[in-house]
Amino acid sequence: MKAKEVFNTMTPYTPGKQIEDVKKAYGLTNIVKLASNENPFGYSEKVQTAIPKMLEHLEIYPDGYATKIREELANRLNVEKNQLIFGCGSDEVVDIICRTYLDQSSETIMAVPTFPQYKHNSLIQGASIKEVPLINGYHDIKGMLEAISSKTKIAWLCSPNNPTGALIPKQELLMFLKECPKDILVVLDEAYYEYISDENNPQSISLLQKYPNLIVLRTFSKAYGLANLRIGYGVASIEIANTLNIARGPFNTTSIAQEAATIVLQDEDFLANTLDENSKNKKAFCDFLEEVGLTAYDSEANFIFVKLPTTGDQLCEYLLERGFIIRSGEALGHPNGVRITIGAKEHMEELSQLIKGFLEEVKEENK
């Protein structure tokens, strides 16, 4: 069997190292994973309490319309129920968008480095890729506008950007939406939206009515702690949402994921605690970085991308041997740095001391 030619130049997604694999490889018993931007504070206890009841009637298909979570989100976001599309994580919505709007005659624009699934899924559909380099971690909005051509079908904006964490300021987003041709779909991926504290937060949902070519993506995998259950969503005009729902699989989110998402939306205390702890621990870690002479990109997410005097792989290996998993910039298009998820206070303090030891070893080697 012969697949599309493009698959000859592509590789499967490579996830970060898994806890059990690291334990076996390094003979360790305790591992701290700070590589995948998961919520280090777990998930709502209310979900855990409700899970036994969710296990009833697993022989029955889930609600393909996701009625309960759809109604809850529509009320909270003040949008129509038919403006929502749900996916097995927001990355499935990315795939659905590509399948719906891209083909071999299309072109799509994105930053670099950014979330790799935009490029991955676009290539599978045969589209041409235009990548516009970030400027100090931020999207080059003017550069992306200049890159638009008559073939452009989709522009991808990741805010806060993965892997740098930088937010697209409100005025820059408004400029892009105003100047971008209306027949180009603008995908604003806000997987880390809940973590944004900057006053330049564009409040994107309010822009949907004025810009019908906009779609906003969000997820329950990050701040809400439901990464394992795989549920995310997009908010768009009714026309776009209806089109995407045609391409969506009929039962693509489970009843357990739908119910859990509904519960976490209502557990405001859990979210508030998550955001508070993340903010405090991130500030303390940034203070440490400044103390040891390292710099990082501005971050409005639950991770920090740290620039290094070495390759990211070197620090990653050093930390793996000591029980910490972080993400090397080598795999993210930025070799001299690492992406570190903000973890619990005690883990961040231990990590800081390990990084300090690494830098001292590097300094000694370079004497």
Side-chain angles (χ1 to χ4, degrees):
M1 299 296 292
K2 190 174 182 180
K4 295 177 181 178
E5 291 290 336
V6 70
F7 284 97
N8 295 328
T9 63
M10 299 175 70
T11 57
Y13 174 75
T14 304
K17 293 185 179 295
Q18 301 301 300
I19 290 175
E20 292 305 317
D21 293 338
V22 174
K23 283 182 178 180
K24 291 178 182 177
Y26 295 90
L28 299 169
T29 55
N30 295 316
I31 301 294
V32 179
K33 185 184 177 190
L34 301 174
S36 301
N37 307 333
E38 296 145 332
N39 190 329
F41 312 109
Y43 58 96
S44 169
E45 291 182 2
K46 294 181 179 179
V47 171
Q48 191 170 32
T49 301
I51 279 178
K53 291 184 178 179
M54 297 183 197
L55 299 179
E56 297 174 358
H57 302 299
L58 294 183
E59 76 282 5
I60 298 174
Y61 283 111
D63 175 6
Y65 188 66
T67 303
K68 191 172 180 179
I69 182 61
R70 182 181 296 274
E71 291 177 348
E72 182 73 25
L73 265 178
N75 289 333
R76 285 175 175 266
L77 299 176
N78 195 28
V79 298
E80 297 294 327
K81 289 182 288 186
N82 286 346
Q83 288 183 252
L84 293 162
I85 172 173
F86 290 92
C88 181
S90 57
D91 48 352
E92 189 197 17
V93 185
V94 170
D95 177 44
I96 295 170
I97 289 169
C98 291
R99 289 192 285 109
T100 303
Y101 291 101
L102 297 178
D103 56 30
Q104 292 182 343
S105 67
S106 332
E107 192 174 78
T108 182
I109 295 171
M110 64 199 69
V112 62
T114 193
F115 184 51
Q117 292 305 103
Y118 312 144
K119 181 177 182 178
H120 183 90
N121 288 297
S122 297
L123 286 172
I124 290 174
Q125 300 309 320
S128 299
I129 311 296
K130 278 189 177 179
E131 296 179 302
V132 180
L134 300 172
I135 299 177
N136 198 27
Y138 286 88
H139 281 62
D140 179 3
I141 292 298
K142 290 183 179 178
M144 293 185 73
L145 285 169
E146 291 169 358
I148 290 173
S149 74
S150 60
K151 293 183 177 181
T152 305
K153 298 298 182 185
I154 301 176
W156 304 91
L157 303 175
C158 186
S159 183
N161 184 52
N162 182 5
T164 62
L167 179 73
I168 298 175
K170 182 176 182 178
Q171 291 307 313
E172 292 201 20
L173 176 61
L174 290 174
M175 178 181 71
F176 190 89
L177 291 170
K178 182 179 179 181
E179 297 186 21
C180 182
K182 303 311 175 196
D183 60 346
I184 293 175
L185 182 65
V186 178
V187 182
L188 180 62
D189 186 349
E190 294 186 327
Y192 301 92
Y193 173 81
E194 290 78 13
Y195 292 101
I196 299 172
S197 59
D198 194 298
E199 61 183 12
N200 280 317
N201 183 348
Q203 305 296 340
S204 56
I205 300 298
S206 65
L207 302 175
L208 289 168
Q209 189 169 2
K210 186 174 182 180
Y211 299 101
N213 60 325
L214 173 66
I215 178 170
V216 178
L217 306 185
R218 293 183 183 171
T219 185
F220 290 96
S221 296
K222 306 301 182 183
Y224 290 107
L226 298 183
N228 194 285
L229 292 183
R230 312 305 302 123
I231 182 165
Y233 62 96
V235 193
S237 68
I238 291 177
E239 179 183 359
I240 289 174
N242 281 344
T243 303
L244 294 175
N245 274 310
I246 292 171
R248 176 182 60 81
F251 306 109
N252 64 325
T253 59
T254 67
S255 57
I256 296 174
Q258 293 172 26
E259 180 66 22
T262 305
I263 292 171
V264 296
L265 273 179
Q266 297 167 350
D267 190 354
E268 296 179 358
D269 289 341
F270 172 79
L271 180 61
N273 180 68
T274 285
L275 302 183
D276 182 58
E277 290 297 313
N278 177 79
S279 178
K280 290 188 296 187
N281 297 347
K282 182 164 69 171
K283 183 182 184 306
F285 186 60
C286 287
D287 290 343
F288 159 76
L289 294 176
E290 184 176 354
E291 175 188 321
V292 296
L294 293 178
T295 58
Y297 291 117
D298 298 334
S299 175
E300 285 291 312
N302 68 331
F303 59 85
I304 295 284
F305 192 97
V306 182
K307 304 171 192 177
L308 296 172
T310 66
T311 67
D313 282 357
Q314 286 175 269
L315 177 56
C316 282
E317 183 63 26
Y318 180 91
L319 292 175
L320 277 175
E321 294 171 357
R322 292 155 178 82
F324 277 78
I325 307 174
I326 62 172
R327 190 73 156 149
S328 173
E330 298 270 2
L332 302 172
H334 197 320
N336 291 104
V338 290
R339 191 189 67 192
I340 300 175
T341 305
I342 301 301
K345 180 181 178 181
E346 61 273 19
H347 293 153
M348 298 308 295
E349 289 175 348
E350 184 179 354
L351 177 69
S352 296
Q353 292 307 306
L354 290 173
I355 292 175
K356 190 173 183 179
F358 170 79
L359 293 173
E360 290 171 354
E361 286 191 15
V362 169
K363 187 176 180 181
E364 284 295 317
E365 291 173 2
N366 293 334
K367 278 186 178 180

